[in-house]
Amino acid sequence: MLDSYLPIIVLIGIAVGFAICTTIFSRLIGQKKPTEVKLAPYECGMPPVGSARERMSMKFYIIAMLFIVFDIEAVFLYPWAVMFKKLGLFGFVEMGVFIAILLVGYIYVWKKGALEWE
Amino acid sequence: MQVLFFYLVAFVAVASGLLVVTCKSPVNSALALVNTFFCLAIFYVMLHAPFMAAIQIMVYAGAIMVLILFVIMLLNLGVETMKKTTHTVWGIVAGSLVMMLTFFFIKRGQPANISGPITNEVVESVGHTQLIGKHIFVDFLLPFEITSILLLVAIVGAVILAKKEV
């Protein structure tokens, strides 16, 4: 069973090894001529203004919370999709009811304006 | 080999769990928590539950960690909160109490010698996700539909709570 995960472990190993090697080699053979501008935090080419630890808007939080809910909805879709052929029409109706109830929530969120980014 | 791997992952899980509570910056704690979630996902894989592992990473390491990070940023825990808070004595007391309880129940509990109908072999032959799907959509049909109402309540609750603030 676990042997089938060997390719994944090898892949993770190569990825980690590559990351470590790039860091080490760039430190060893890279040139270092630091100037004040080079050491400044990069912010899309703009001069950085103020502290990076600013208070985030509440809107991000709503989006993240709604994301969790619909993420869990998506989680239920995986075993359903795997069993779709065996469940047939019954399963289709079942999932239809499930999604319809959540669609009510989606419409509520939409109408309430929680997805607006004013 | 498998036991060795288990101990390795368990060590990483415990170490990153300790980092969660000892890191001074909350964002570092959150990253250590992500590491713990990944270790738990590896445990699920070792328990022949690959679907649970995928869900663990998708929902916990993905969605819930994003939420936790947003909470950290929303609260804007600045430099002044990075001071070390000490509850060492109570922490040790509570920790050893939990450990004693755990040992007590492990010692007392007699593992039943019978195993259920779903053994490792069944999981191997039918498939883990298929088994979950069959049980959710056939045996636990009503709880599954009620879950959607639970999620609906969560949506409405989130919007009402958040809109009050804005």
Side-chain angles (χ1 to χ4, degrees), chain A:
Chain A
M1 172 72 178
L2 284 176
D3 295 343
S4 56
Y5 287 96
L6 196 66
I8 297 178
I9 292 172
V10 170
L11 183 71
I12 292 173
I14 291 173
V16 170
F18 181 74
I20 290 171
C21 284
T22 0
T23 321
I24 287 174
F25 282 123
S26 71
R27 181 154 295 184
L28 285 179
I29 49 180
Q31 296 189 42
K32 282 178 277 291
K33 289 174 193 161
T35 63
E36 202 182 326
V37 181
K38 275 187 193 167
L39 292 175
Y42 182 72
E43 204 179 309
C44 306
M46 301 276 286
V49 182
S51 166
R53 291 188 180 78
E54 286 208 8
R55 229 178 138 158
M56 299 282 279
S57 168
M58 191 74 187
K59 289 171 214 148
F60 291 101
Y61 186 71
I62 307 173
I63 299 291
M65 209 122 91
L66 295 174
F67 170 61
I68 288 185
V69 173
F70 289 109
D71 200 29
I72 292 168
E73 182 196 351
V75 161
F76 278 107
L77 286 172
Y78 288 107
W80 175 73
V82 169
M83 290 295 287
F84 182 70
K85 281 201 175 133
K86 277 189 197 159
L87 290 168
L89 186 68
F90 176 65
F92 185 72
V93 172
E94 205 179 334
M95 189 46 95
V97 172
F98 181 76
I99 288 179
I101 292 172
L102 280 169
L103 200 64
V104 174
Y106 183 64
I107 292 167
Y108 172 78
V109 169
W110 199 342
K111 289 286 162 207
K112 204 79 177 161
L115 298 174
E116 300 284 325
W117 203 268
E118 67 270 354

Side-chain angles (χ1 to χ4, degrees), chain B residues 51-71:
Chain B
F51 182 68
M52 294 308 291
I55 297 309
Q56 170 83 16
I57 290 176
M58 252 181 64
V59 175
Y60 280 86
I64 289 180
M65 274 324 292
V66 169
L67 189 67
I68 290 177
L69 277 175
F70 277 143
V71 171

Side-chain angles (χ1 to χ4, degrees), chain B:
Chain B
M1 179 64 195
Q2 201 166 332
V3 174
L4 198 73
F5 188 67
F6 170 80
Y7 278 116
L8 182 72
V9 177
F11 175 75
V12 175
V14 171
S16 42
L18 281 174
L19 276 178
V20 174
V21 287
T22 52
C23 271
K24 282 181 183 170
S25 162
V27 177
N28 288 1
S29 296
L31 288 177
L33 194 58
V34 172
N35 209 11
T36 319
F37 286 151
F38 271 99
C39 291
L40 294 182
I42 295 172
F43 286 146
Y44 280 127
V45 168
M46 291 171 85
L47 289 167
H48 300 262
F51 182 68
M52 294 308 291
I55 297 309
Q56 170 83 16
I57 290 176
M58 252 181 64
V59 175
Y60 280 86
I64 289 180
M65 274 324 292
V66 169
L67 189 67
I68 290 177
L69 277 175
F70 277 143
V71 171
I72 290 169
M73 288 167 172
L74 188 76
L75 293 175
N76 195 18
L77 302 165
V79 189
E80 67 273 10
T81 47
M82 290 193 188
K83 276 177 272 166
K84 210 162 187 157
T85 48
T86 43
H87 298 287
T88 321
V89 179
W90 288 111
I92 290 171
V93 168
S96 35
L97 267 176
V98 170
M99 223 160 107
M100 268 157 60
L101 261 180
T102 315
F103 274 121
F104 173 70
F105 280 114
I106 288 175
K107 285 278 176 205
R108 212 189 63 161
Q110 288 292 331
N113 217 3
I114 42 161
S115 58
I118 295 164
T119 55
N120 271 353
E121 288 72 39
V122 177
V123 174
E124 291 267 347
S125 60
V126 181
H128 178 244
T129 318
Q130 280 89 337
L131 271 174
I132 289 181
K134 188 174 153 272
H135 284 289
I136 289 180
F137 299 112
V138 178
D139 303 342
F140 298 104
L141 175 58
L142 186 65
F144 166 69
E145 296 295 357
I146 291 172
T147 310
S148 68
I149 295 176
L150 182 72
L151 291 175
L152 183 67
V153 171
I155 294 172
V156 175
V159 170
I160 286 175
L161 280 177
K163 274 285 150 183
K164 214 186 276 176
E165 301 279 319
V166 171

